[in-house]
Amino acid sequence: MTEIPVAPVDRIMRKAGASRVSEEAAKAMADELYEYCMKLGFQATKLAEHAGRKTVTEDDVKLA
């Protein structure tokens, strides 16, 4: 179960060109987005720690 709401994912998929999106597809995309964001967040946190900071910055996220 993901913490990302399905409705915004549906809107993103429609903006990407999908004319229709099943609820199962939106849920699957939300799950994948959650996993990707977790990995990105972990990497960004490691970069901040390496720099001797507790705060994750925009640059950490971009570098991750």
Side-chain angles (χ1 to χ4, degrees):
M1 186 75 174
T2 182
E3 296 178 19
I4 299 175
V6 175
V9 173
D10 181 88
R11 285 193 298 273
I12 291 168
M13 292 177 75
R14 290 174 190 271
K15 283 185 179 182
S19 57
R20 296 176 70 189
V21 180
S22 71
E23 188 167 342
E24 294 82 15
K27 285 179 182 178
M29 178 69 85
D31 289 340
E32 292 299 320
L33 284 169
Y34 179 81
E35 289 301 319
Y36 177 78
C37 289
M38 288 296 292
K39 290 176 186 175
L40 185 65
F42 179 78
Q43 291 292 331
T45 300
K46 288 295 181 188
L47 287 167
E49 288 174 357
H50 180 72
R53 292 180 278 105
K54 292 183 179 181
T55 303
V56 175
T57 65
E58 177 182 359
D59 289 337
D60 296 326
V61 175
K62 288 180 178 180
L63 284 171

PDB file of all heavy atoms in Angstrom, residues 10-45:
ATOM      1  N   ASP A  10      -3.249   9.794 -11.379  1.00  0.00           N
ATOM      2  CA  ASP A  10      -4.124   9.723 -12.551  1.00  0.00           C
ATOM      3  C   ASP A  10      -3.981  10.984 -13.399  1.00  0.00           C
ATOM      4  O   ASP A  10      -3.838  10.910 -14.619  1.00  0.00           O
ATOM      5  CB  ASP A  10      -5.578   9.522 -12.093  1.00  0.00           C
ATOM      6  CG  ASP A  10      -6.530   9.407 -13.259  1.00  0.00           C
ATOM      7  OD1 ASP A  10      -6.727   8.277 -13.745  1.00  0.00           O
ATOM      8  OD2 ASP A  10      -7.083  10.447 -13.682  1.00  0.00           O
ATOM      9  N   ARG A  11      -3.976  12.145 -12.737  1.00  0.00           N
ATOM     10  CA  ARG A  11      -3.838  13.409 -13.470  1.00  0.00           C
ATOM     11  C   ARG A  11      -2.488  13.497 -14.182  1.00  0.00           C
ATOM     12  O   ARG A  11      -2.405  13.951 -15.326  1.00  0.00           O
ATOM     13  CB  ARG A  11      -4.019  14.597 -12.529  1.00  0.00           C
ATOM     14  CG  ARG A  11      -5.466  14.838 -12.147  1.00  0.00           C
ATOM     15  CD  ARG A  11      -5.674  16.200 -11.481  1.00  0.00           C
ATOM     16  NE  ARG A  11      -4.931  16.340 -10.233  1.00  0.00           N
ATOM     17  CZ  ARG A  11      -5.388  15.964  -9.044  1.00  0.00           C
ATOM     18  NH1 ARG A  11      -6.575  15.407  -8.933  1.00  0.00           N
ATOM     19  NH2 ARG A  11      -4.654  16.144  -7.955  1.00  0.00           N
ATOM     20  N   ILE A  12      -1.437  13.054 -13.517  1.00  0.00           N
ATOM     21  CA  ILE A  12      -0.109  13.078 -14.133  1.00  0.00           C
ATOM     22  C   ILE A  12      -0.085  12.184 -15.371  1.00  0.00           C
ATOM     23  O   ILE A  12       0.454  12.573 -16.420  1.00  0.00           O
ATOM     24  CB  ILE A  12       0.966  12.635 -13.121  1.00  0.00           C
ATOM     25  CG1 ILE A  12       1.135  13.693 -12.037  1.00  0.00           C
ATOM     26  CG2 ILE A  12       2.289  12.349 -13.824  1.00  0.00           C
ATOM     27  CD1 ILE A  12       1.961  13.245 -10.846  1.00  0.00           C
ATOM     28  N   MET A  13      -0.672  11.004 -15.259  1.00  0.00           N
ATOM     29  CA  MET A  13      -0.688  10.084 -16.396  1.00  0.00           C
ATOM     30  C   MET A  13      -1.487  10.669 -17.565  1.00  0.00           C
ATOM     31  O   MET A  13      -1.100  10.520 -18.728  1.00  0.00           O
ATOM     32  CB  MET A  13      -1.246   8.729 -15.969  1.00  0.00           C
ATOM     33  CG  MET A  13      -0.308   8.005 -15.011  1.00  0.00           C
ATOM     34  SD  MET A  13      -0.945   6.440 -14.394  1.00  0.00           S
ATOM     35  CE  MET A  13      -0.718   5.403 -15.833  1.00  0.00           C
ATOM     36  N   ARG A  14      -2.574  11.367 -17.254  1.00  0.00           N
ATOM     37  CA  ARG A  14      -3.354  12.008 -18.317  1.00  0.00           C
ATOM     38  C   ARG A  14      -2.574  13.143 -18.966  1.00  0.00           C
ATOM     39  O   ARG A  14      -2.610  13.318 -20.186  1.00  0.00           O
ATOM     40  CB  ARG A  14      -4.699  12.485 -17.784  1.00  0.00           C
ATOM     41  CG  ARG A  14      -5.645  11.337 -17.458  1.00  0.00           C
ATOM     42  CD  ARG A  14      -6.934  11.828 -16.800  1.00  0.00           C
ATOM     43  NE  ARG A  14      -7.711  10.734 -16.281  1.00  0.00           N
ATOM     44  CZ  ARG A  14      -8.631  10.064 -17.003  1.00  0.00           C
ATOM     45  NH1 ARG A  14      -8.852  10.382 -18.240  1.00  0.00           N
ATOM     46  NH2 ARG A  14      -9.293   9.074 -16.441  1.00  0.00           N
ATOM     47  N   LYS A  15      -1.835  13.908 -18.155  1.00  0.00           N
ATOM     48  CA  LYS A  15      -0.991  14.977 -18.710  1.00  0.00           C
ATOM     49  C   LYS A  15       0.117  14.404 -19.584  1.00  0.00           C
ATOM     50  O   LYS A  15       0.596  15.056 -20.504  1.00  0.00           O
ATOM     51  CB  LYS A  15      -0.380  15.823 -17.600  1.00  0.00           C
ATOM     52  CG  LYS A  15      -1.338  16.804 -16.989  1.00  0.00           C
ATOM     53  CD  LYS A  15      -0.639  17.705 -15.986  1.00  0.00           C
ATOM     54  CE  LYS A  15      -1.616  18.704 -15.402  1.00  0.00           C
ATOM     55  NZ  LYS A  15      -0.952  19.631 -14.461  1.00  0.00           N
ATOM     56  N   ALA A  16       0.509  13.167 -19.293  1.00  0.00           N
ATOM     57  CA  ALA A  16       1.545  12.492 -20.073  1.00  0.00           C
ATOM     58  C   ALA A  16       0.992  11.928 -21.381  1.00  0.00           C
ATOM     59  O   ALA A  16       1.741  11.386 -22.182  1.00  0.00           O
ATOM     60  CB  ALA A  16       2.182  11.385 -19.247  1.00  0.00           C
ATOM     61  N   GLY A  17      -0.329  12.044 -21.565  1.00  0.00           N
ATOM     62  CA  GLY A  17      -0.912  11.641 -22.834  1.00  0.00           C
ATOM     63  C   GLY A  17      -1.933  10.526 -22.779  1.00  0.00           C
ATOM     64  O   GLY A  17      -2.546  10.209 -23.800  1.00  0.00           O
ATOM     65  N   ALA A  18      -2.135   9.900 -21.625  1.00  0.00           N
ATOM     66  CA  ALA A  18      -3.131   8.827 -21.531  1.00  0.00           C
ATOM     67  C   ALA A  18      -4.529   9.424 -21.598  1.00  0.00           C
ATOM     68  O   ALA A  18      -4.825  10.399 -20.908  1.00  0.00           O
ATOM     69  CB  ALA A  18      -2.960   8.066 -20.226  1.00  0.00           C
ATOM     70  N   SER A  19      -5.376   8.871 -22.446  1.00  0.00           N
ATOM     71  CA  SER A  19      -6.744   9.375 -22.522  1.00  0.00           C
ATOM     72  C   SER A  19      -7.612   8.756 -21.427  1.00  0.00           C
ATOM     73  O   SER A  19      -8.547   9.394 -20.949  1.00  0.00           O
ATOM     74  CB  SER A  19      -7.350   9.108 -23.898  1.00  0.00           C
ATOM     75  OG  SER A  19      -7.301   7.734 -24.193  1.00  0.00           O
ATOM     76  N   ARG A  20      -7.291   7.531 -21.041  1.00  0.00           N
ATOM     77  CA  ARG A  20      -7.998   6.871 -19.953  1.00  0.00           C
ATOM     78  C   ARG A  20      -6.978   6.101 -19.119  1.00  0.00           C
ATOM     79  O   ARG A  20      -6.009   5.566 -19.643  1.00  0.00           O
ATOM     80  CB  ARG A  20      -9.039   5.896 -20.498  1.00  0.00           C
ATOM     81  CG  ARG A  20     -10.136   6.590 -21.289  1.00  0.00           C
ATOM     82  CD  ARG A  20     -11.093   5.619 -21.894  1.00  0.00           C
ATOM     83  NE  ARG A  20     -11.888   4.992 -20.824  1.00  0.00           N
ATOM     84  CZ  ARG A  20     -12.704   3.974 -21.010  1.00  0.00           C
ATOM     85  NH1 ARG A  20     -12.841   3.436 -22.203  1.00  0.00           N
ATOM     86  NH2 ARG A  20     -13.386   3.480 -20.005  1.00  0.00           N
ATOM     87  N   VAL A  21      -7.222   6.046 -17.812  1.00  0.00           N
ATOM     88  CA  VAL A  21      -6.317   5.350 -16.904  1.00  0.00           C
ATOM     89  C   VAL A  21      -7.155   4.504 -15.955  1.00  0.00           C
ATOM     90  O   VAL A  21      -8.039   5.025 -15.276  1.00  0.00           O
ATOM     91  CB  VAL A  21      -5.463   6.354 -16.083  1.00  0.00           C
ATOM     92  CG1 VAL A  21      -4.531   5.623 -15.139  1.00  0.00           C
ATOM     93  CG2 VAL A  21      -4.690   7.288 -16.998  1.00  0.00           C
ATOM     94  N   SER A  22      -6.873   3.213 -15.910  1.00  0.00           N
ATOM     95  CA  SER A  22      -7.606   2.361 -14.981  1.00  0.00           C
ATOM     96  C   SER A  22      -7.125   2.640 -13.563  1.00  0.00           C
ATOM     97  O   SER A  22      -6.003   3.099 -13.346  1.00  0.00           O
ATOM     98  CB  SER A  22      -7.395   0.878 -15.310  1.00  0.00           C
ATOM     99  OG  SER A  22      -6.074   0.476 -14.979  1.00  0.00           O
ATOM    100  N   GLU A  23      -7.967   2.343 -12.603  1.00  0.00           N
ATOM    101  CA  GLU A  23      -7.594   2.551 -11.204  1.00  0.00           C
ATOM    102  C   GLU A  23      -6.403   1.670 -10.828  1.00  0.00           C
ATOM    103  O   GLU A  23      -5.517   2.092 -10.091  1.00  0.00           O
ATOM    104  CB  GLU A  23      -8.779   2.273 -10.278  1.00  0.00           C
ATOM    105  CG  GLU A  23      -8.465   2.659  -8.847  1.00  0.00           C
ATOM    106  CD  GLU A  23      -9.699   2.688  -7.954  1.00  0.00           C
ATOM    107  OE1 GLU A  23     -10.823   2.752  -8.475  1.00  0.00           O
ATOM    108  OE2 GLU A  23      -9.496   2.661  -6.724  1.00  0.00           O
ATOM    109  N   GLU A  24      -6.379   0.460 -11.381  1.00  0.00           N
ATOM    110  CA  GLU A  24      -5.258  -0.442 -11.103  1.00  0.00           C
ATOM    111  C   GLU A  24      -3.948   0.123 -11.638  1.00  0.00           C
ATOM    112  O   GLU A  24      -2.901   0.009 -10.995  1.00  0.00           O
ATOM    113  CB  GLU A  24      -5.515  -1.826 -11.713  1.00  0.00           C
ATOM    114  CG  GLU A  24      -6.661  -2.573 -11.084  1.00  0.00           C
ATOM    115  CD  GLU A  24      -8.021  -2.142 -11.634  1.00  0.00           C
ATOM    116  OE1 GLU A  24      -8.064  -1.470 -12.685  1.00  0.00           O
ATOM    117  OE2 GLU A  24      -9.030  -2.469 -10.990  1.00  0.00           O
ATOM    118  N   ALA A  25      -3.994   0.743 -12.817  1.00  0.00           N
ATOM    119  CA  ALA A  25      -2.794   1.342 -13.408  1.00  0.00           C
ATOM    120  C   ALA A  25      -2.313   2.521 -12.570  1.00  0.00           C
ATOM    121  O   ALA A  25      -1.115   2.670 -12.328  1.00  0.00           O
ATOM    122  CB  ALA A  25      -3.067   1.789 -14.841  1.00  0.00           C
ATOM    123  N   ALA A  26      -3.240   3.350 -12.123  1.00  0.00           N
ATOM    124  CA  ALA A  26      -2.877   4.495 -11.289  1.00  0.00           C
ATOM    125  C   ALA A  26      -2.289   4.034  -9.959  1.00  0.00           C
ATOM    126  O   ALA A  26      -1.313   4.613  -9.473  1.00  0.00           O
ATOM    127  CB  ALA A  26      -4.090   5.399 -11.065  1.00  0.00           C
ATOM    128  N   LYS A  27      -2.851   2.964  -9.384  1.00  0.00           N
ATOM    129  CA  LYS A  27      -2.315   2.419  -8.133  1.00  0.00           C
ATOM    130  C   LYS A  27      -0.917   1.849  -8.347  1.00  0.00           C
ATOM    131  O   LYS A  27      -0.022   2.047  -7.516  1.00  0.00           O
ATOM    132  CB  LYS A  27      -3.242   1.339  -7.582  1.00  0.00           C
ATOM    133  CG  LYS A  27      -4.501   1.883  -6.958  1.00  0.00           C
ATOM    134  CD  LYS A  27      -5.392   0.752  -6.444  1.00  0.00           C
ATOM    135  CE  LYS A  27      -6.674   1.285  -5.863  1.00  0.00           C
ATOM    136  NZ  LYS A  27      -7.562   0.205  -5.404  1.00  0.00           N
ATOM    137  N   ALA A  28      -0.720   1.155  -9.462  1.00  0.00           N
ATOM    138  CA  ALA A  28       0.597   0.585  -9.762  1.00  0.00           C
ATOM    139  C   ALA A  28       1.623   1.693  -9.956  1.00  0.00           C
ATOM    140  O   ALA A  28       2.755   1.600  -9.472  1.00  0.00           O
ATOM    141  CB  ALA A  28       0.518  -0.299 -11.009  1.00  0.00           C
ATOM    142  N   MET A  29       1.227   2.758 -10.646  1.00  0.00           N
ATOM    143  CA  MET A  29       2.126   3.887 -10.854  1.00  0.00           C
ATOM    144  C   MET A  29       2.440   4.554  -9.518  1.00  0.00           C
ATOM    145  O   MET A  29       3.593   4.915  -9.263  1.00  0.00           O
ATOM    146  CB  MET A  29       1.499   4.904 -11.811  1.00  0.00           C
ATOM    147  CG  MET A  29       2.359   6.138 -12.044  1.00  0.00           C
ATOM    148  SD  MET A  29       3.850   5.809 -12.978  1.00  0.00           S
ATOM    149  CE  MET A  29       3.205   5.910 -14.623  1.00  0.00           C
ATOM    150  N   ALA A  30       1.452   4.701  -8.658  1.00  0.00           N
ATOM    151  CA  ALA A  30       1.674   5.304  -7.338  1.00  0.00           C
ATOM    152  C   ALA A  30       2.662   4.472  -6.532  1.00  0.00           C
ATOM    153  O   ALA A  30       3.549   5.017  -5.861  1.00  0.00           O
ATOM    154  CB  ALA A  30       0.347   5.453  -6.595  1.00  0.00           C
ATOM    155  N   ASP A  31       2.544   3.152  -6.614  1.00  0.00           N
ATOM    156  CA  ASP A  31       3.479   2.268  -5.908  1.00  0.00           C
ATOM    157  C   ASP A  31       4.896   2.439  -6.437  1.00  0.00           C
ATOM    158  O   ASP A  31       5.851   2.508  -5.663  1.00  0.00           O
ATOM    159  CB  ASP A  31       3.060   0.806  -6.042  1.00  0.00           C
ATOM    160  CG  ASP A  31       1.815   0.473  -5.246  1.00  0.00           C
ATOM    161  OD1 ASP A  31       1.489   1.230  -4.301  1.00  0.00           O
ATOM    162  OD2 ASP A  31       1.166  -0.543  -5.573  1.00  0.00           O
ATOM    163  N   GLU A  32       5.043   2.514  -7.755  1.00  0.00           N
ATOM    164  CA  GLU A  32       6.363   2.692  -8.366  1.00  0.00           C
ATOM    165  C   GLU A  32       6.952   4.054  -8.012  1.00  0.00           C
ATOM    166  O   GLU A  32       8.151   4.167  -7.729  1.00  0.00           O
ATOM    167  CB  GLU A  32       6.286   2.533  -9.882  1.00  0.00           C
ATOM    168  CG  GLU A  32       5.960   1.124 -10.331  1.00  0.00           C
ATOM    169  CD  GLU A  32       6.996   0.103  -9.887  1.00  0.00           C
ATOM    170  OE1 GLU A  32       8.212   0.408  -9.921  1.00  0.00           O
ATOM    171  OE2 GLU A  32       6.594  -0.993  -9.494  1.00  0.00           O
ATOM    172  N   LEU A  33       6.116   5.093  -8.030  1.00  0.00           N
ATOM    173  CA  LEU A  33       6.579   6.432  -7.656  1.00  0.00           C
ATOM    174  C   LEU A  33       7.052   6.458  -6.211  1.00  0.00           C
ATOM    175  O   LEU A  33       8.075   7.073  -5.886  1.00  0.00           O
ATOM    176  CB  LEU A  33       5.469   7.462  -7.853  1.00  0.00           C
ATOM    177  CG  LEU A  33       5.196   7.885  -9.281  1.00  0.00           C
ATOM    178  CD1 LEU A  33       3.912   8.703  -9.345  1.00  0.00           C
ATOM    179  CD2 LEU A  33       6.349   8.691  -9.830  1.00  0.00           C
ATOM    180  N   TYR A  34       6.340   5.789  -5.345  1.00  0.00           N
ATOM    181  CA  TYR A  34       6.708   5.733  -3.937  1.00  0.00           C
ATOM    182  C   TYR A  34       8.083   5.074  -3.779  1.00  0.00           C
ATOM    183  O   TYR A  34       8.944   5.585  -3.069  1.00  0.00           O
ATOM    184  CB  TYR A  34       5.645   4.973  -3.141  1.00  0.00           C
ATOM    185  CG  TYR A  34       5.971   4.855  -1.677  1.00  0.00           C
ATOM    186  CD1 TYR A  34       5.723   5.912  -0.814  1.00  0.00           C
ATOM    187  CD2 TYR A  34       6.543   3.703  -1.160  1.00  0.00           C
ATOM    188  CE1 TYR A  34       6.032   5.817   0.540  1.00  0.00           C
ATOM    189  CE2 TYR A  34       6.859   3.599   0.182  1.00  0.00           C
ATOM    190  CZ  TYR A  34       6.602   4.664   1.022  1.00  0.00           C
ATOM    191  OH  TYR A  34       6.924   4.571   2.359  1.00  0.00           O
ATOM    192  N   GLU A  35       8.277   3.951  -4.439  1.00  0.00           N
ATOM    193  CA  GLU A  35       9.560   3.246  -4.354  1.00  0.00           C
ATOM    194  C   GLU A  35      10.691   4.113  -4.897  1.00  0.00           C
ATOM    195  O   GLU A  35      11.768   4.188  -4.300  1.00  0.00           O
ATOM    196  CB  GLU A  35       9.496   1.915  -5.111  1.00  0.00           C
ATOM    197  CG  GLU A  35       8.633   0.883  -4.432  1.00  0.00           C
ATOM    198  CD  GLU A  35       9.106   0.542  -3.024  1.00  0.00           C
ATOM    199  OE1 GLU A  35      10.324   0.429  -2.803  1.00  0.00           O
ATOM    200  OE2 GLU A  35       8.244   0.417  -2.140  1.00  0.00           O
ATOM    201  N   TYR A  36      10.458   4.780  -6.025  1.00  0.00           N
ATOM    202  CA  TYR A  36      11.477   5.646  -6.617  1.00  0.00           C
ATOM    203  C   TYR A  36      11.817   6.806  -5.669  1.00  0.00           C
ATOM    204  O   TYR A  36      12.985   7.118  -5.448  1.00  0.00           O
ATOM    205  CB  TYR A  36      10.999   6.204  -7.962  1.00  0.00           C
ATOM    206  CG  TYR A  36      11.976   7.159  -8.580  1.00  0.00           C
ATOM    207  CD1 TYR A  36      13.115   6.696  -9.224  1.00  0.00           C
ATOM    208  CD2 TYR A  36      11.770   8.539  -8.515  1.00  0.00           C
ATOM    209  CE1 TYR A  36      14.024   7.576  -9.779  1.00  0.00           C
ATOM    210  CE2 TYR A  36      12.676   9.415  -9.059  1.00  0.00           C
ATOM    211  CZ  TYR A  36      13.802   8.926  -9.698  1.00  0.00           C
ATOM    212  OH  TYR A  36      14.700   9.806 -10.242  1.00  0.00           O
ATOM    213  N   CYS A  37      10.787   7.413  -5.093  1.00  0.00           N
ATOM    214  CA  CYS A  37      10.998   8.539  -4.174  1.00  0.00           C
ATOM    215  C   CYS A  37      11.719   8.096  -2.903  1.00  0.00           C
ATOM    216  O   CYS A  37      12.536   8.855  -2.362  1.00  0.00           O
ATOM    217  CB  CYS A  37       9.675   9.213  -3.832  1.00  0.00           C
ATOM    218  SG  CYS A  37       8.981  10.132  -5.217  1.00  0.00           S
ATOM    219  N   MET A  38      11.450   6.903  -2.427  1.00  0.00           N
ATOM    220  CA  MET A  38      12.161   6.384  -1.261  1.00  0.00           C
ATOM    221  C   MET A  38      13.643   6.235  -1.563  1.00  0.00           C
ATOM    222  O   MET A  38      14.499   6.623  -0.759  1.00  0.00           O
ATOM    223  CB  MET A  38      11.565   5.046  -0.815  1.00  0.00           C
ATOM    224  CG  MET A  38      10.209   5.157  -0.161  1.00  0.00           C
ATOM    225  SD  MET A  38      10.248   6.073   1.395  1.00  0.00           S
ATOM    226  CE  MET A  38      11.175   4.957   2.425  1.00  0.00           C
ATOM    227  N   LYS A  39      13.975   5.688  -2.716  1.00  0.00           N
ATOM    228  CA  LYS A  39      15.378   5.529  -3.113  1.00  0.00           C
ATOM    229  C   LYS A  39      16.050   6.883  -3.284  1.00  0.00           C
ATOM    230  O   LYS A  39      17.183   7.092  -2.841  1.00  0.00           O
ATOM    231  CB  LYS A  39      15.466   4.720  -4.408  1.00  0.00           C
ATOM    232  CG  LYS A  39      15.091   3.263  -4.237  1.00  0.00           C
ATOM    233  CD  LYS A  39      15.099   2.530  -5.555  1.00  0.00           C
ATOM    234  CE  LYS A  39      14.578   1.112  -5.377  1.00  0.00           C
ATOM    235  NZ  LYS A  39      14.454   0.410  -6.645  1.00  0.00           N
ATOM    236  N   LEU A  40      15.355   7.809  -3.928  1.00  0.00           N
ATOM    237  CA  LEU A  40      15.888   9.154  -4.129  1.00  0.00           C
ATOM    238  C   LEU A  40      16.097   9.854  -2.793  1.00  0.00           C
ATOM    239  O   LEU A  40      17.134  10.492  -2.566  1.00  0.00           O
ATOM    240  CB  LEU A  40      14.930   9.969  -5.012  1.00  0.00           C
ATOM    241  CG  LEU A  40      15.374  11.360  -5.415  1.00  0.00           C
ATOM    242  CD1 LEU A  40      16.593  11.295  -6.309  1.00  0.00           C
ATOM    243  CD2 LEU A  40      14.238  12.076  -6.118  1.00  0.00           C
ATOM    244  N   GLY A  41      15.148   9.726  -1.896  1.00  0.00           N
ATOM    245  CA  GLY A  41      15.258  10.337  -0.571  1.00  0.00           C
ATOM    246  C   GLY A  41      16.419   9.764   0.219  1.00  0.00           C
ATOM    247  O   GLY A  41      17.138  10.491   0.908  1.00  0.00           O
ATOM    248  N   PHE A  42      16.618   8.451   0.126  1.00  0.00           N
ATOM    249  CA  PHE A  42      17.730   7.804   0.813  1.00  0.00           C
ATOM    250  C   PHE A  42      19.062   8.344   0.292  1.00  0.00           C
ATOM    251  O   PHE A  42      19.949   8.692   1.077  1.00  0.00           O
ATOM    252  CB  PHE A  42      17.649   6.287   0.615  1.00  0.00           C
ATOM    253  CG  PHE A  42      18.768   5.542   1.278  1.00  0.00           C
ATOM    254  CD1 PHE A  42      18.755   5.311   2.640  1.00  0.00           C
ATOM    255  CD2 PHE A  42      19.832   5.063   0.533  1.00  0.00           C
ATOM    256  CE1 PHE A  42      19.799   4.617   3.258  1.00  0.00           C
ATOM    257  CE2 PHE A  42      20.874   4.372   1.138  1.00  0.00           C
ATOM    258  CZ  PHE A  42      20.860   4.150   2.502  1.00  0.00           C
ATOM    259  N   GLN A  43      19.188   8.441  -1.032  1.00  0.00           N
ATOM    260  CA  GLN A  43      20.421   8.960  -1.631  1.00  0.00           C
ATOM    261  C   GLN A  43      20.654  10.413  -1.240  1.00  0.00           C
ATOM    262  O   GLN A  43      21.783  10.807  -0.909  1.00  0.00           O
ATOM    263  CB  GLN A  43      20.371   8.828  -3.157  1.00  0.00           C
ATOM    264  CG  GLN A  43      20.426   7.402  -3.645  1.00  0.00           C
ATOM    265  CD  GLN A  43      21.768   6.752  -3.377  1.00  0.00           C
ATOM    266  OE1 GLN A  43      22.802   7.411  -3.327  1.00  0.00           O
ATOM    267  NE2 GLN A  43      21.767   5.448  -3.188  1.00  0.00           N
ATOM    268  N   ALA A  44      19.618  11.230  -1.279  1.00  0.00           N
ATOM    269  CA  ALA A  44      19.738  12.647  -0.914  1.00  0.00           C
ATOM    270  C   ALA A  44      20.141  12.794   0.549  1.00  0.00           C
ATOM    271  O   ALA A  44      20.966  13.651   0.895  1.00  0.00           O
ATOM    272  CB  ALA A  44      18.423  13.379  -1.190  1.00  0.00           C
ATOM    273  N   THR A  45      19.600  11.945   1.413  1.00  0.00           N
ATOM    274  CA  THR A  45      19.953  11.977   2.828  1.00  0.00           C
ATOM    275  C   THR A  45      21.420  11.620   3.029  1.00  0.00           C
ATOM    276  O   THR A  45      22.126  12.261   3.815  1.00  0.00           O
ATOM    277  CB  THR A  45      19.058  11.011   3.621  1.00  0.00           C
ATOM    278  OG1 THR A  45      17.695  11.419   3.455  1.00  0.00           O
ATOM    279  CG2 THR A  45      19.403  11.005   5.093  1.00  0.00           C
TER     280      THR A  45
END
